[in-house]
């Protein structure tokens, strides 16, 4: 199974400052069809996960443009350009290139300093 | 808009079974699939499996494949997941998910397994 390793585990951020989360895969996530099926999810406290980014860098409708995804192969990054209070929560990467099974990273908890 | 509405809280004893439901609306149910994901208290997300609502094909996580059955009812646009021989480490919130690249998530069902 593909293992996704996220870092850091915890990310204290000052409001208005940028934040960056890394997701590293145990193997390249480039599918034979040329796509890379790496998604990012946000889970606010007490809520269901919400998808933010799909296929590395495509932002979902309604997701603020301060969120961006990038990367290729085995290294991926979710960036928040200026953290707001509503961004507090746990962020997960997930790969769908090699499934079954779908696999998730362990999560990164974003909190306000 | 796509909505997934899941059944309510379940409390079960070890060894029992539970069957969760996930009622879908806002899209063509029979053209898609449903993924089930669970989250133990304070833990991360764990893929349980997937079922096609088109033809009933399934893929289950190796960890639970002997104890899980996923089904769909296209007449009511509802997906089901049954988990048998429950253990304390099955205590979790169970989510149903649908859409391309896991776009849409249900509100989750808390299952507590305790004697």
């Amino acid at each position: 199974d593909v293992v996704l390793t996220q870092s850091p585990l915890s990310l204290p951020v000052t409001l208005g400052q940028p934040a960056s989360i890394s997701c590293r895969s145990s193997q390249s996530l480039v599918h034979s069809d040329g796509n890379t099926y790496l998604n990012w999810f946000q889970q606010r406290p007490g809520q269901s996960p919400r998808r933010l980014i799909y296929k590395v860098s495509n932002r979902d409708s309604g997701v603020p443009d301060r969120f961006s995804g990038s990367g290729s192969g085995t290294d991926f990054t979710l960036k928040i350009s200026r953290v707001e209070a509503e961004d507090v929560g746990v962020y997960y990467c997930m790969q769908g290139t090699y499934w079954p099974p779908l696999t998730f990273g362990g999560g990164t908890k974003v909190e306000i300093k | 808009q796509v909505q997934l509405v899941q059944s309510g809280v379940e409390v079960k004893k070890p060894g029992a079974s539970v069957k969760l439901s996930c009622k879908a609306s806002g899209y063509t149910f029979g053209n898609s699939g449903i993924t089930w994901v669970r989250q133990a208290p304070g833990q991360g997300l764990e893929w349980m499996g997937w079922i096609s609502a088109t033809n009933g094909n399934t893929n289950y996580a190796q960890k639970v494949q002997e104890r899980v059955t996923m089904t769909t009812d296209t007449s009511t646009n509802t997906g089901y997941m049954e988990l048998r021989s429950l253990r304390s480490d099955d205590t979790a919130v169970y989510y149903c998910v649908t859409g391309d690249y896991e776009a849409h998530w249900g509100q989750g069902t808390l299952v507590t397994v305790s004697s």
Side-chain angles (χ1 to χ4, degrees):
Chain A
D1 297 351
V2 174
V3 176
L4 298 179
T5 303
Q6 286 185 232
S7 61
L9 259 60
S10 177
L11 185 54
V13 187
T14 301
L15 286 173
Q17 292 302 300
S20 181
I21 299 169
S22 169
C23 176
R24 289 192 168 162
S25 175
S26 59
Q27 61 190 89
S28 172
L29 296 183
V30 179
H31 192 274
S32 57
D33 66 6
N35 289 306
T36 299
Y37 296 101
L38 186 286
N39 305 335
W40 289 97
F41 296 85
Q42 173 196 62
Q43 188 174 31
R44 291 170 170 153
Q47 295 187 13
S48 301
R50 165 201 183 196
R51 197 181 69 187
L52 299 176
I53 303 282
Y54 62 97
K55 289 198 293 182
V56 181
S57 59
N58 296 276
R59 198 167 42 245
D60 271 279
S61 173
V63 174
D65 60 8
R66 63 179 181 274
F67 289 93
S68 64
S70 63
S72 62
T74 60
D75 288 344
F76 303 91
T77 302
L78 176 70
K79 290 183 179 174
I80 311 173
S81 59
R82 295 172 304 280
V83 171
E84 298 190 6
E86 66 178 16
D87 301 336
V88 165
V90 182
Y91 292 78
Y92 296 94
C93 56
M94 186 212 82
Q95 71 82 26
T97 296
Y98 297 105
W99 84 278
L102 295 178
T103 53
F104 294 88
T108 294
K109 186 174 185 178
V110 171
E111 55 189 13
I112 304 301
K113 275 185 189 173
Chain B
Q1 73 283 20
V2 175
Q3 268 200 313
L4 298 173
V5 179
Q6 299 186 235
S7 48
V9 172
E10 300 272 5
V11 180
K12 296 291 184 181
K13 293 196 182 307
S17 298
V18 68
K19 188 171 185 177
L20 310 181
S21 68
C22 171
K23 184 164 178 60
S25 61
Y27 71 102
T28 305
F29 182 77
N31 288 353
S32 191
I34 291 191
T35 295
W36 290 86
V37 174
R38 71 180 178 182
Q39 185 172 37
Q43 302 300 308
L45 301 169
E46 179 185 19
W47 182 80
M48 299 281 293
W50 169 89
I51 181 167
S52 166
T54 303
N55 56 22
N57 286 350
T58 55
N59 279 299
Y60 298 142
Q62 197 166 14
K63 185 177 178 181
V64 296
Q65 66 179 12
E66 304 290 328
R67 301 190 292 128
V68 71
T69 301
M70 296 177 187
T71 57
T72 59
D73 183 343
T74 53
S75 68
T76 59
N77 290 353
T78 303
Y80 298 92
M81 185 187 72
E82 181 182 34
L83 190 59
R84 301 176 292 278
S85 303
L86 288 167
R87 311 188 291 237
S88 57
D89 64 353
D90 292 318
T91 294
V93 175
Y94 289 75
Y95 296 102
C96 60
V97 188
T98 195
D100 292 338
Y101 323 124
E102 284 59 49
H104 308 287
W105 293 61
Q107 86 277 18
T109 296
L110 174 63
V111 176
T112 300
V113 183
S114 174
S115 55

